């Protein structure tokens, strides 16, 4: 290990509860996510994963406490939470399809600046944008309309849009859903690079992806934290195996060697 200094703030969640018309979707969740963590949030459909992220980012009302650094997030409006350096992606990509990769990043970087300032800086690409293009591997595609990007590339662009805003806590909702194996590997490596300087929380169903890239894991089930720890600890937990019966313990399909095509 390089002994790098961890940047950024941690996230502390205490007794978080979200109720929809008497149905409790998040039921007393505690989480401690350290700066620089790459935390996977897993759990069956309806476990409350997205709702938890919605609560942290101010999209649904919740009780309890969510602290990021010195700030209490609960009760703050969405834009003020965003201004504290918290950004998220959604289960479906939300890029401007007609605009180029560069324009999408430029708009994200300029969020908060007036339209005139945006026009005046057209000649130069801001350093944050150049860096985000490099980090996400999108430099070659910077002049393509976002609409023609592959599914995986759109997700990387969205992550890039969070990076140019200097987001310190990234909350990603199923970023590798629908991706090819190669795209998943590239995304995992991207998240490892990103989490060297920031804190990353990933909601994910893909167990192979989690096994390869998680630094820590929380398992949600029926709105509660069922298990927490390293990948090995969580996988060894009988409660998790029960919830994921036929999933974590699923036998690997027989390996059939296939010739790689160029
Ligand atoms: N706005 C809402 N109104 C009522 N019920 C909701 C609302 N949003 C979510 N729920 C319910 O809360 C529970 C948790 O939903 P949530 O979307 O957080 O699950 P999830 O863990 O993200 O699932 P998935 O893996 O399918 O995305 C589900 O039973 C869902 O139907
Ligand atoms: Mg969800």
């Amino acid at each position: 290990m390089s002994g790098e200094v961890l940047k950024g703030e941690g996230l502390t969640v205490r007794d978080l509860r979200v109720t929809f018309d008497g149905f409790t979707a998040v039921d007393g969740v505690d989480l401690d996510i350290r700066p620089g963590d790459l935390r996977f949030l897993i759990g069956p459909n309806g476990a409350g994963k997205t709702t938890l992220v919605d609560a942290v980012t101010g999209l649904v009302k919740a009780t309890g406490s969510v602290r990021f650094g010195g700030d209490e997030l609960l009760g703050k409006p969405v834009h003020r939470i965003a201004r504290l350096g918290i950004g998220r992606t959604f289960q479906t990509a939300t890029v401007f399809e007609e605009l180029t990769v560069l324009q999408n990043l430029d708009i994200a970087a300029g969020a908060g600046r007036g339209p005139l300032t945006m026009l005046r800086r057209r000649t130069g690409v801001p350093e944050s944008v150049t860096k985000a293009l490099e980090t996400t591997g999108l430099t070659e595609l910077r002049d393509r309309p976002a609409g023609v990007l592959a599914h995986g590339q759109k997700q990387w662009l969205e992550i890039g849009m969070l990076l140019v805003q200097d987001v310190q806590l990234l909350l990603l909702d199923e970023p590798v859903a629908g991706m090819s194996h190669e795209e998943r590997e590239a995304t995992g490596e991207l998240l490892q690079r990103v989490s060297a300087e920031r804190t990353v929380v990933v909601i994910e169903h893909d167990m192979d992806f989690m096994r390869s890239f998680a630094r820590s894991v929380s398992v949600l089930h029926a709105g509660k934290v069922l298990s927490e720890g390293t990948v090995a600890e969580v996988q060894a937990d009988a409660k998790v195996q029960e919830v994921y019966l036929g999933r974590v313990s699923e036998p690997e399909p027989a390996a059939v060697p296939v010739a790689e095509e160029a």
Side-chain angles (χ1 to χ4, degrees):
M1 291 258 91
S2 59
E4 65 204 329
V5 178
L6 293 177
K7 190 182 157 190
E9 310 280 4
L11 185 75
T12 309
V13 174
R14 288 291 174 271
D15 198 28
L16 188 70
R17 262 167 234 277
V18 179
T19 304
F20 299 113
D21 293 327
F23 171 75
T24 305
V26 176
D27 193 4
V29 165
D30 292 345
L31 287 176
D32 287 285
I33 302 179
R34 297 180 48 213
D37 202 350
L38 178 44
R39 170 72 55 98
F40 274 59
L41 215 55
I42 66 168
N45 293 112
K49 305 180 297 294
T50 298
T51 306
L52 192 156
V53 168
D54 287 347
V56 170
T57 52
L59 288 178
V60 296
K61 276 185 80 170
T63 62
S65 166
V66 178
R67 297 189 76 82
F68 182 63
D71 295 290
E72 173 62 51
L73 305 185
L74 289 196
K76 283 194 168 56
V78 173
H79 68 276
R80 286 199 50 210
I81 295 174
R83 238 186 281 148
L84 291 170
I86 298 169
R88 67 160 316 162
T89 61
F90 291 86
Q91 281 179 248
T92 48
T94 52
V95 298
F96 297 105
E97 306 255 322
E98 332 74 60
L99 301 183
T100 66
V101 167
L102 187 58
Q103 285 168 329
N104 269 281
L105 290 170
D106 215 20
I107 285 171
R113 267 187 288 239
L116 281 176
T117 334
M118 295 283 292
L119 285 175
R120 258 184 264 119
R121 359 180 324 272
R122 285 192 69 158
T123 42
V125 176
E127 200 194 319
S128 65
V129 171
T130 306
K131 214 175 149 205
L133 283 168
E134 281 166 14
T135 307
T136 55
L138 291 172
T139 305
E140 305 283 296
L141 300 171
R142 52 174 258 181
D143 297 319
R144 297 267 178 90
V148 308
L149 296 180
H151 174 74
Q153 292 166 338
K154 274 187 201 166
Q155 286 287 341
W156 301 334
L157 175 55
E158 283 211 87
I159 292 169
M161 288 165 76
L162 298 179
L163 296 179
V164 296
Q165 293 170 65
D166 202 22
V167 161
Q168 296 303 309
L169 171 66
L170 291 87
L171 303 148
L172 310 175
D173 201 346
E174 301 194 27
V176 304
M179 281 190 188
S180 68
H181 179 73
E182 288 72 22
E183 287 177 327
R184 280 163 202 245
E185 291 296 303
T187 305
E189 285 159 20
L190 168 60
L191 296 184
Q192 287 185 328
R193 288 197 296 280
V194 166
S195 62
E197 293 190 319
R198 302 156 201 270
T199 308
V200 180
V201 176
V202 184
I203 296 176
E204 201 40 77
H205 280 292
D206 183 328
M207 294 298 138
D208 287 331
F209 181 67
M210 176 204 80
R211 275 191 280 266
S212 301
F213 296 106
R215 289 203 187 104
S216 61
V217 184
S218 300
V219 186
L220 280 192
H221 178 52
K224 292 178 158 60
V225 177
L226 182 72
S227 183
E228 199 162 77
T230 63
V231 172
E233 284 163 354
V234 162
Q235 278 192 273
D237 188 331
K239 294 193 299 289
V240 176
Q241 287 170 4
E242 207 173 301
V243 164
Y244 274 98
L245 205 65
R247 228 163 153 176
V248 161
S249 53
E250 209 168 19
E252 297 288 322
V256 180
V258 179
E260 288 277 318
E261 282 180 40

